[in-house]
Amino acid sequence: MRNILITALLCIFTGASAQDKKLLTARFGGGKAETALDTMLVGTGLFEPLPRAAAAFWRDSVPESVRRSYISYGETYLGYRWPALPATEFARFKTDGNRTGYEQLSFARRRALAALVIAEIAEGRRRFVPDIANGLQALLEETWWGIPAHYDKPLPDPGRQTVDLFNAETAGLIAWTSYMLRDELDSLFPSLGKRIDSEISRRMLRPALQTNYWWKRAGMNWNPWIASNWLACVLLCEHDRGRQLAAVAQIMTALDTFIDSYPADGGCDEGPNYWDRAAASLFDCLNLLRTATGGRIDIGTHPKLRAMAGYAYKLYVGDGKCVNFADANINTMALQLNVAYPFGLYTGDRTMTAFAAHIAHDKDFARHAADIYDRSGNWPALARELFMLRNVTRLMAETPGEPLLADVWLPNLQIMTARRAATYVAMKGGTNGESHNHNDVGSFIVYGGGKPVIVDPGVGSYTAKTFGRDRYSIWTMQSQYHNLPIINGTGQRDGAKYAASGVKHAHGRMTLDIAGAYPPEAGVRRWTRDVRVERSGRVNITEDYELAECRVPPCVVLMTALRPDISVPGRISLGAHAVSYDPSQLTVETQSVSPLLDDKLREVWKDNLHRIVFTVKRASSKGTIKYSVSINK
C-alpha cells in the first residue's frame, strides 16, 4: 500500500471554532431541541429501522452460507439451560475483588439469547422462538441487569434501578429482540411484549431520563455506549411522545459532550480496544438518529467524526494486531466487522470499508459469519449485526484492503507509528492522566514481520483494584514494566500533570522530553528520548539526560515477547532480531515476567514475556545512552 501520512485534518480543528462544537444540538436543536425534534423524529410506534424477522429480506438477500452459519450457531443453544446467577457470586466483587465470575454467568445468558435470535431471523420457521422466550423470561426476572463492579452494594436492590453499561446493553438486546420478533413472541405468549415494555421502562427509560448520571457529561466510552442502547429503547419502546422527545434531546446533548471532549486528531486515549465502544458506539447513535429522522440528522461528513472513525485503523499493526497502549492487548482487534463496514459507509471512508472487506475475507465471513458475530462484544452485538446485514451484498462485493499505513501522526494524542521494511514502531507521549491510563509517557513498541518484539504488556483481568485507588499497585500499570527509564530508582507518577514536553515528530522519528512524567524524587531536569526508524527498518534510540543529582545509576527497561540471549556482550539476541548496545557503558540483565501473568495475559504472551534492564555503569548527572533494535527481514 502506498505511503500515507495521517494528519487527521488538524488545521481545521486547532483552536476549534464554535461551528465545530455541539455538532448535534447546535445544528439540529438549538435552544428548542424538543420542538425541533418533534418536526423531524419519527412518531412513537412508527420506527421501522430494519425489516422484521418474518420479512423475506433475511432469506432472500442474506447469502445462504451466512444464514446456515447463524442457524448452526443458534442450534447449539436449543434447549439451553439458563445458568443461575447466585447472590454469593454477585457479592464476590465486594468480598475478594473478583468480577469475572458473575460476568461470565451473566454474559453467557445474553450470548445464548443473541445466538438464538439471529438464528431465528436467518431461518424464519419459529423453531427458536420457545427458547428465545425462555431467555427473555430469565433476563426479565433478574433483579438488576448490570454487573457488581458497577454497583455500590453487595447485592442489588430491586427498588433501585441504576443505569450502567450492562444494564443498558441488556435493555438494548431485549428491545431489539422484541422489535424483530414481536409477532412470533406474541403468538406464543401474548403478555410477554407488554412485560418487556414495562421492564425496559422501569429499568432503563425512566431512570435514564430522570437521573443526571455522571456518564451524560463524560468524554469516555460510558457516554455513547449507554446512549446507543438508551436511544434504541427510546425509539423502539417509549410510547409517550413527550418523554421520547425529552430523552432524545438529552441523548444529543450527552453525545455533544463526548464529541467535544475528543481531540481534533480523533484519538481515543482509552486505547484502541475501547474504540469499539467509544467512537463506534457514537456511530450506533448517529445511525439511529439519521434513520429516525429520515436523514435530517446526519454529521457523517464532518472531518472530526471522520478522524474519530479512522483512529481504529491508524493504530493497526497488521495480522489482526493493534497497538496496545492503555487498557488493551495486541490480539483484540478494535475494528469489529459489523460496525466497521456501516461506519465506513456513513463517513464515506474507503479505507475503512476496504478494511472491513479485508476482515470479512480473512475470517471467511461467507462461511463463518457466526464465529465473527460471537466475538463482536461481551456477547454478540445483535443490532450491529442486523444493520451490517442490510448491506451484506455490498460488503461481499467490496475490494479488500489491509491498511498497512507507512506513517501515522496523532498530534493531540501524541502517538506516532512508522512502518519501514519489516519493522513497525509505535511511540507515545501524552500524559499519565489519560482514561484507562498506564504510566507510560514516552514508551514505544517494535514489531518485526508482524510479530511483537519490544512490547507493551497490556492489561490483565479486571478486578476491584483496576479502577480503584490501588490501580498503580498493579504491575502492568507501572512505568517500570514499560519501555522506559528508571531514574534514581523511581518510576513515573500518575496524573495529568505528569506529561511529556517538547514533542517533535517527523516521518519515522519522534523526540520528546519525558522528565515531566517523573515525580520530584526522581531528580530529573531533562530526559530527552529520540526514537528514529531507518529506511532499512533499524530502530535507533537515544536517551540524553541531565539529573539534579545521581543517587542511583539510571536504568532503561525493555519488555520483550522473545527469550533474550545476552551471552554476547553488546548484543542481545531476540530470536532472529537483536538489540545492540555499548557494553563499555551499560550492564544488562534479564528477568522472566511469566510468574506475574494472569490467565488473560497468558493467553497473549504464553510464558514468553521478559524484562531487559540496562544499567549505566558509571553514575553521572549527565549522560547519553544509545542502543538500537535490528529486525531481520
Side-chain angles (χ1 to χ4, degrees):
M1 189 171 188
R2 67 185 177 88
N3 288 1
I4 300 174
L5 176 62
I6 304 294
T7 57
L9 302 171
L10 295 178
C11 294
I12 299 173
F13 287 99
T14 304
S17 64
Q19 66 181 4
D20 297 320
K21 298 288 187 180
K22 303 189 183 306
L23 295 182
L24 293 171
T25 54
R27 292 182 175 204
F28 307 108
K32 300 178 180 179
E34 292 174 41
T35 301
L37 281 170
D38 197 21
T39 66
M40 294 188 289
L41 193 70
V42 65
T44 55
L46 300 177
F47 187 49
E48 297 277 345
L50 293 163
R52 310 269 181 161
F57 171 85
W58 304 108
R59 267 69 66 189
D60 295 344
S61 300
V62 178
E64 184 181 354
S65 62
V66 173
R67 291 176 51 242
R68 283 201 307 267
S69 178
Y70 293 135
I71 293 166
S72 296
Y73 176 52
E75 285 175 337
T76 65
Y77 290 99
L78 286 172
Y80 183 67
R81 296 175 64 88
W82 302 89
L85 300 177
T88 51
E89 199 62 52
F90 191 99
R92 282 188 66 188
F93 186 73
K94 294 294 185 291
T95 57
D96 66 10
N98 179 282
R99 59 182 278 173
T100 56
Y102 183 88
E103 288 176 15
Q104 288 169 357
L105 295 171
S106 174
F107 294 177
R109 287 179 160 209
R110 289 142 176 84
R111 182 176 302 278
L113 179 60
L116 290 162
V117 172
I118 197 76
E120 178 57 39
I121 294 168
E123 185 177 77
R125 291 170 45 198
R126 302 196 176 195
R127 184 161 63 109
F128 297 91
V129 174
D131 285 286
I132 292 170
N134 286 338
L136 288 168
Q137 185 68 14
L139 268 60
L140 294 172
E141 290 297 321
E142 292 178 9
T143 304
W144 185 54
W145 287 338
I147 60 171
H150 301 159
Y151 205 83
D152 59 358
K153 304 291 183 185
L155 287 177
D157 179 350
R160 177 171 168 250
Q161 291 298 321
T162 187
V163 177
D164 83 325
L165 297 177
F166 299 106
N167 168 289
E169 274 280 280
T170 302
L173 172 61
I174 293 173
W176 283 110
T177 299
S178 177
Y179 168 78
M180 295 298 296
L181 294 164
R182 191 63 170 252
D183 290 345
E184 291 82 353
L185 291 166
D186 282 350
S187 69
L188 284 180
F189 305 102
S191 64
L192 186 56
K194 292 182 179 179
R195 173 80 189 280
I196 288 171
D197 286 350
S198 174
E199 290 298 326
I200 287 179
S201 178
R202 181 175 74 90
R203 298 167 183 261
M204 183 73 205
L205 294 176
R206 279 188 282 171
L209 180 63
Q210 296 168 3
T211 309
N212 188 23
Y213 288 113
W214 65 268
W215 48 260
K216 295 181 181 181
R217 306 178 301 279
M220 44 82 78
N221 69 83
W222 277 59
N223 180 326
W225 188 348
I226 291 174
S228 64
N229 289 285
W230 180 17
L231 181 58
C233 291
V234 167
L235 294 171
L236 296 171
C237 303
E238 179 58 79
H239 303 294
D240 182 278
R241 183 63 168 176
R243 289 198 297 267
Q244 183 186 65
L245 294 172
V248 174
Q250 281 195 25
I251 289 167
M252 290 171 63
T253 299
L255 295 177
D256 273 344
T257 300
F258 176 75
I259 297 168
D260 289 350
S261 74
Y262 254 60
D265 60 21
C268 175
D269 70 355
E270 299 174 273
N273 296 161
Y274 274 93
W275 176 92
D276 178 59
R277 284 302 177 185
S281 285
L282 171 64
F283 163 71
D284 292 334
C285 297
L286 297 176
N287 182 42
L288 289 173
L289 285 171
R290 182 174 65 175
T291 305
T293 61
R296 280 171 284 188
I297 294 182
D298 187 346
I299 59 171
T301 60
H302 196 279
K304 187 171 188 180
L305 188 69
R306 288 173 60 87
M308 292 172 72
Y311 169 84
Y313 59 77
K314 292 170 190 172
L315 297 193
Y316 177 67
V317 176
D319 192 30
K321 296 180 174 60
C322 62
V323 175
N324 64 319
F325 296 142
D327 277 356
N329 76 65
I330 64 171
N331 294 327
T332 305
M333 260 307 300
L335 207 68
Q336 299 288 355
L337 173 62
N338 59 13
V339 72
Y341 192 65
F343 202 171
L345 292 177
Y346 181 80
T347 59
D349 189 329
R350 297 295 300 276
T351 302
M352 181 174 281
T353 54
F355 191 16
H358 166 80
I359 295 170
H361 177 79
D362 185 61
K363 296 183 180 298
D364 196 1
F365 170 76
R367 291 193 303 161
H368 300 293
D371 293 338
I372 303 171
Y373 173 58
D374 181 66
R375 293 169 174 81
S376 66
N378 292 287
W379 56 83
L382 175 63
R384 286 181 171 180
E385 197 78 1
L386 297 176
F387 277 108
M388 181 268 291
L389 290 175
R390 283 297 303 272
N391 292 291
V392 68
T393 303
R394 189 172 175 182
L395 169 63
M396 301 293 276
E398 191 90 34
T399 301
E402 191 175 17
L404 302 178
L405 307 184
D407 289 280
V408 169
W409 173 234
L410 302 176
N412 299 107
L413 209 56
Q414 296 181 350
I415 289 180
M416 172 197 81
T417 78
R419 194 184 307 270
R420 302 288 186 274
T423 302
Y424 179 91
V425 175
M427 183 177 179
K428 75 180 297 291
T431 81
N432 282 331
E434 297 168 345
S435 185
H436 293 264
N437 179 69
H438 293 207
N439 286 343
D440 61 355
V441 170
S443 192
F444 65 93
I445 60 175
V446 180
Y447 276 68
K451 306 297 182 185
V453 179
I454 304 300
V455 303
D456 184 315
V459 63
S461 299
Y462 285 169
T463 68
K465 277 187 176 183
T466 308
F467 299 108
R469 61 186 179 184
D470 296 324
R471 178 177 177 87
Y472 295 96
S473 69
I474 302 171
W475 68 273
T476 56
M477 312 298 177
Q478 299 170 7
S479 66
Q480 296 93 319
Y481 290 90
H482 289 76
N483 304 309
L484 288 164
I486 301 173
I487 306 172
N488 277 317
T490 303
Q492 293 186 4
R493 185 70 55 80
D494 59 289
K497 70 179 182 179
Y498 296 100
S501 63
V503 178
K504 298 178 182 178
H505 169 261
H507 292 278
R509 184 174 187 175
M510 185 170 174
T511 305
L512 73 174
D513 184 354
I514 60 175
Y518 290 79
E521 54 265 34
V524 55
R525 290 175 177 160
R526 177 180 55 80
W527 193 291
T528 302
R529 165 168 276 192
D530 180 90
V531 175
R532 179 168 53 88
V533 191
E534 296 179 355
R535 184 174 298 179
S536 65
R538 181 185 178 94
V539 185
N540 298 313
I541 303 98
T542 301
E543 319 271 7
D544 191 76
Y545 62 88
E546 179 181 354
L547 311 179
E549 60 176 328
C550 185
R551 301 186 303 274
V552 180
C555 300
V556 175
V557 173
L558 296 178
M559 305 294 294
T560 181
L562 299 168
R563 186 178 299 277
D565 178 353
I566 61 173
S567 59
V568 177
R571 177 183 172 88
I572 304 171
S573 295
L574 301 172
H577 317 300
V579 177
S580 300
Y581 66 97
D582 181 355
S584 68
Q585 180 190 30
L586 303 171
T587 62
V588 61
E589 62 176 327
T590 65
Q591 306 156 355
S592 171
V593 186
S594 296
L596 299 177
L597 304 183
D598 63 14
D599 290 343
K600 183 177 179 180
L601 288 166
R602 192 162 278 110
E603 285 181 10
V604 179
W605 305 118
K606 311 304 180 188
D607 286 320
N608 297 319
L609 191 61
H610 302 269
R611 188 171 182 250
I612 299 168
V613 181
F614 291 120
T615 302
V616 177
K617 287 183 175 180
R618 290 179 290 276
S620 174
S621 60
K622 292 184 179 181
T624 300
I625 303 168
K626 293 186 178 183
Y627 53 100
S628 63
V629 182
S630 299
I631 298 300
N632 190 319
K633 297 179 182 180

